[in-house]
Each structure stands twice: as C-alpha cells, then as structure tokens.
C-alpha cells in the first residue's frame, strides 16, 4: 500500500467517538481501494468538489499530437493543442450501509467483523467498476477481436492491441478480462504470458491474491468479475486511458440534523466517498452509510476494443 496521505475534505464532525469511528472506516476504504486490482485508476478524475446527482462535470482529455519534420530553410511548426474537455454526468449514486456494531467490533480486531466490513467496502468499489466495464460493447470504431464462448488466444490479444496501435492510441494499454475459463484462466495457460504481482512493475499495483500479467510491457491484463457477461458470452475490454472518463465527486451533506458526515478523497486509489453516521428509525439503531457519486463516458471510441471470449 502506498504511503500517501488521505485528504479529508469539507467534513462536519460531531463527537470524538463518532470521529474515531468514521476515520477508521475512511482508512479501511482507502486501504482496500489502494490494494484492489484497480485498472480504472488510469481513467479516474477525482475531486474534493461538492456536486449533486445529475450535475455535469468536465473531465480533461489529452490531445492527439504528432511531430513535425524540420527541413532546412523552413520554419518550425508550433503545436499548442490544449486538449479537450469531456462532459460527464454524475448520474450514479451507489451506497452500502451496515450497523455501527460491525464497525466497532472491527476496530477491536474481531476477524469476522473485519472481513464483513471489507465485503461492504469492496461492494461499492466493485459496483463502480462493473458500471464502467459495461461500456465494452460501446467501442465500435474498431472491429471486435476474439469469439464468444471460445478461449482467448495470444493471437487474439495481439490483434486487440494492434487495433489500438493502428489508431495511435497513447499507452499504457490495459486489458480487463473475466476470471472464467475462456478469459483469465486461458491467458494463464499461454507460455508467453508473464504473471506480475504487487508492485513488481511500475504500471501495475494489484491485490496479491489476484495479480495481473502481460505478454509485453505495453499492455497489462487484469482479471475482474465486473466484466460484462451475457449468458456465456463475455465482452472483455482492452483500452487506452484516453478512451474512458470516470468522474467521482463528493455529494452534498444531507440537510437537517442528526447526521455526522465525513468526506474522504484519496488520489492514489482514485476514490471519493462520503461516510454518514445516522440513526435508522426503521431499525431503531445507528448505522453507517457509504455514498459514492460518479459518472462515466466514452471519450475516444477508437481507443477501445471489445475482446470476446
């Protein structure tokens, strides 16, 4: 886990005890976010700004530039391309709620409660990834590679990457594939596939239990259960960071009293979360609620390829 600071922004905190609970939960979110296999960190735009559901935010997209050949006697060409801004609508509001008892027990080191807490936290982050990976079939400029219900081959992976190279898409390229037999398991059986773990490569930082891998240092392949699967047909995704924009912002604090709020932004893992401590009248008990406000969009259709298996 990277030893980078956690930013607490625009928080309205109550009693010291509640502060401790919320800070503990915030730390757990960041810990898991930094240690999950998170290829989407390449495309995340995270800010401590407060935003509302349905609001549109601008995400910077780097320009496509080319070099100029300098010839004797001619003036040099000046390219001041500033890039563009992609409009992303914050239309996804994902939550996970659980009792404060679970959190308190986890703080005391109870193993079962810690695992339960981890499950809630991963559910939010996995949900974001699942939404974004549903875009795989939206990339239509390049013809798809691979065949449904058929194990991936090295040649098909080469074909997908070659399509991005033909478009001069900037790297590093990222491949996200389903863990099933026709995708990740198939890659693992190819002799030229190299498995990478931890931070053994500067482009990859992954959960040691999942790992990642590559055929060439230009493209890294991650397994993810969030890949778009319809029946037995799997739509894996190979893309350049310029292909997708994901915007994550902090929702406004709830109006009225009785709620303690902690807003957490962590640029390393690419997450922005709001944590609430409130009273649930339907259960007559205190609870913790985690909210995640985000949106996503295709920014460069030619910079992504659907890889079928």
């Amino acid at each position: 886990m990277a030893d980078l600071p956690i930013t607490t922004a625009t928080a309205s905190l109550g009693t010291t005890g509640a502060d401790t609970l919320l800070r503990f939960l915030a730390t757990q979110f960041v810990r898991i976010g930094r240690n999950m296999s998170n290829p989407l960190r390449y495309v995340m735009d995270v800010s401590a700004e407060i935003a509302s559901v349905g609001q549109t935010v601008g995400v910077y997209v780097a320009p496509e530039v080319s070099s100029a050949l300098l010839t004797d006697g001619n003036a040099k060409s000046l390219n001041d391309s500033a890039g563009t801004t992609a409009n992303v609508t914050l239309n996804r509001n994902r939550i996970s709620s659980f009792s404060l008892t679970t959190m308190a027990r986890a703080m005391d080191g109870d193993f079962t409660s810690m695992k339960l807490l981890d499950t809630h936290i991963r559910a939010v982050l996995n949900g974001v990834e699942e939404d974004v990976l549903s875009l795989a079939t939206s990339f239509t400029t390049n013809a798809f590679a691979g065949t449904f219900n058929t194990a991936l081959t090295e040649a098909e992976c080469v074909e997908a990457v070659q399509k991005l190279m033909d478009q001069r898409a900037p790297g590093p390229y990222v491949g996200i594939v389903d863990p099933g037999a026709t995708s990740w398991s198939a890659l693992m059986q190819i002799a030229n596939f190299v498995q990478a773990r931890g931070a053994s490569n500067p482009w990859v930082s992954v959960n040691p239990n999942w790992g990642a891998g590559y055929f060439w240092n230009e493209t890294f392949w991650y397994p993810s259960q969030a890949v778009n699967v319809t029946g037995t047909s799997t739509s894996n995704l190979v893309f350049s960071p310029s292909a997708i924009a994901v915007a994550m912002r902090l929702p406004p604090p709830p109006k009225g009293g009785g709620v303690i709020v902690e807003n957490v932004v962590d640029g390393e893992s690419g997450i922005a979360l709001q944590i609430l401590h409130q009273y649930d009248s339907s259960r007559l008990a205190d609870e913790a609620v985690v909210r995640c406000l985000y949106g996503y969009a295709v920014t460069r259709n030619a910079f992504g390829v659907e890889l079928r298996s």
Side-chain angles (χ1 to χ4, degrees), residues 37 39-40 43 125-139 174-179 222-229 234-239 244 246 294 296 305-306:
S37 176
L40 296 183
V43 298
L125 302 179
N126 287 340
V128 175
E129 187 174 336
E130 183 175 353
D131 276 348
V132 177
L133 292 184
S134 68
L135 293 172
T137 56
S138 300
F139 290 99
V174 178
I176 308 179
V177 297
D178 183 75
Y222 299 80
S224 173
Q225 292 175 319
V227 167
N228 187 8
V229 179
T234 303
S235 294
N236 308 292
L237 178 61
V238 186
F239 64 96
I244 303 171
V246 182
Y294 62 100
Y296 54 93
V305 179
E306 178 188 3

Side-chain angles (χ1 to χ4, degrees), residues 6-282:
I6 302 168
T7 301
T8 304
T10 325
S12 58
L13 303 173
T15 63
T16 302
D19 290 358
T20 303
L21 285 171
L22 295 185
R23 291 290 172 86
F24 170 78
L25 186 56
T27 302
Q28 298 309 306
F29 254 100
V30 172
R31 174 182 62 81
I32 290 175
R34 291 181 179 181
N35 283 276
M36 285 182 67
S37 176
N38 183 24
L40 296 183
R41 71 187 185 280
Y42 294 115
V43 298
M44 285 289 199
D45 180 82
V46 182
S47 171
E49 296 176 353
I50 301 296
S52 301
V53 176
Q55 182 175 331
T56 298
V57 298
V59 177
Y60 176 74
V61 179
E64 297 178 61
V65 299
S66 58
S67 61
L69 181 64
L70 183 63
T71 57
D72 189 32
N74 292 328
K76 66 180 184 298
S77 299
L78 183 63
N79 189 338
D80 275 340
S81 301
T84 58
T85 299
N87 291 324
V88 178
T89 302
L90 303 173
N91 57 3
R92 308 295 286 180
N93 193 10
R94 191 172 291 276
I95 69 167
S96 181
S97 60
F98 41 90
S99 69
L100 290 185
T101 303
T102 298
M103 196 156 55
R105 288 177 177 171
M107 291 179 67
D108 289 336
D110 179 70
F111 177 78
T112 302
S113 297
M114 281 294 294
K115 299 300 290 183
L116 180 59
L117 188 61
D118 282 7
T119 300
H120 280 284
I121 295 172
R122 291 179 189 276
V124 173
L125 302 179
N126 287 340
V128 175
E129 187 174 336
E130 183 175 353
D131 276 348
V132 177
L133 292 184
S134 68
L135 293 172
T137 56
S138 300
F139 290 99
T140 55
T141 298
N142 299 304
F144 62 83
T147 305
F148 282 143
N149 305 303
T150 304
L152 288 176
T153 65
E154 184 174 356
E156 290 169 342
C157 294
V158 171
E159 179 186 357
V161 174
Q162 184 62 53
K163 291 176 184 294
L164 297 183
M165 290 182 172
D166 290 343
Q167 297 288 350
R168 297 187 177 181
Y173 302 151
V174 178
I176 308 179
V177 297
D178 183 75
T182 62
S183 303
W184 177 255
S185 296
L187 295 183
M188 291 290 288
Q189 298 176 50
I190 298 175
N192 287 335
F193 188 75
V194 179
Q195 191 173 17
R197 291 182 177 274
S200 59
N201 193 292
W203 289 114
V204 64
S205 178
V206 297
N207 185 325
N209 294 326
W210 281 94
Y214 53 89
F215 292 112
W216 329 275
N217 281 347
E218 182 65 20
T219 306
F220 297 91
W221 303 85
Y222 299 80
S224 173
Q225 292 175 319
V227 167
N228 187 8
V229 179
T230 303
T232 57
S233 300
T234 303
S235 294
N236 308 292
L237 178 61
V238 186
F239 64 96
S240 161
S242 298
I244 303 171
V246 182
M248 192 174 286
R249 298 293 187 269
L250 295 169
K255 297 180 180 179
V259 180
I260 302 173
V261 181
E262 174 111 346
N263 287 339
V264 179
V265 179
D266 179 51
E268 169 67 13
S269 56
I271 58 176
L273 306 161
Q274 184 178 87
I275 306 171
L276 310 174
H277 173 196
Q278 63 188 26
Y279 183 75
D280 182 2
S281 59
S282 65

